[in-house]
Amino acid sequence: MADYTLSSGNVFKDLGLPNPDERLAKAKLAYKINRLIQEKGMTQKEAAQFLELSRAKMTELHTGRLKGFTIDLLFSLYLF
């Protein structure tokens, strides 16, 4: 039988990364924003214009590179 470790429910915590709760919250918000964009049938360009983000920031959001985003900013984008 293979050895394994049960997840804590937070992959960032399990990996020992700093600020795991903040990272998880940002990832969840980014996921929800990207789902809303997809559901509305918007392109990344249209979403960037609507959310008043640069194309580069929209790409970062779309690909989950969230270092440059605060939770407050992501939350305000989610409420669009």
Side-chain angles (χ1 to χ4, degrees):
M1 182 173 228
D3 291 334
Y4 63 92
T5 303
L6 292 177
S7 172
S8 68
N10 182 336
V11 66
F12 303 106
K13 181 178 180 181
D14 295 343
L15 292 172
L17 296 174
N19 305 314
D21 294 331
E22 178 181 345
R23 287 175 187 250
L24 182 60
K26 288 167 75 172
K28 287 181 176 182
L29 281 167
Y31 173 79
K32 289 180 179 185
I33 293 165
N34 282 307
R35 285 292 309 257
L36 287 171
I37 291 167
Q38 182 181 25
E39 288 171 8
K40 292 180 181 290
M42 299 173 89
T43 65
Q44 281 190 40
K45 182 179 180 180
E46 292 168 337
Q49 290 172 338
F50 182 78
L51 296 172
E52 299 179 355
L53 294 175
S54 69
R55 292 286 306 275
K57 283 300 246 187
M58 188 65 231
T59 298
E60 289 174 0
L61 176 63
H62 182 73
T63 58
R65 295 185 192 116
L66 305 174
K67 188 175 183 178
F69 291 88
T70 64
I71 289 177
D72 290 338
L73 174 58
L74 290 169
F75 191 70
S76 69
L77 295 175
Y78 176 66
L79 296 177
F80 75 85

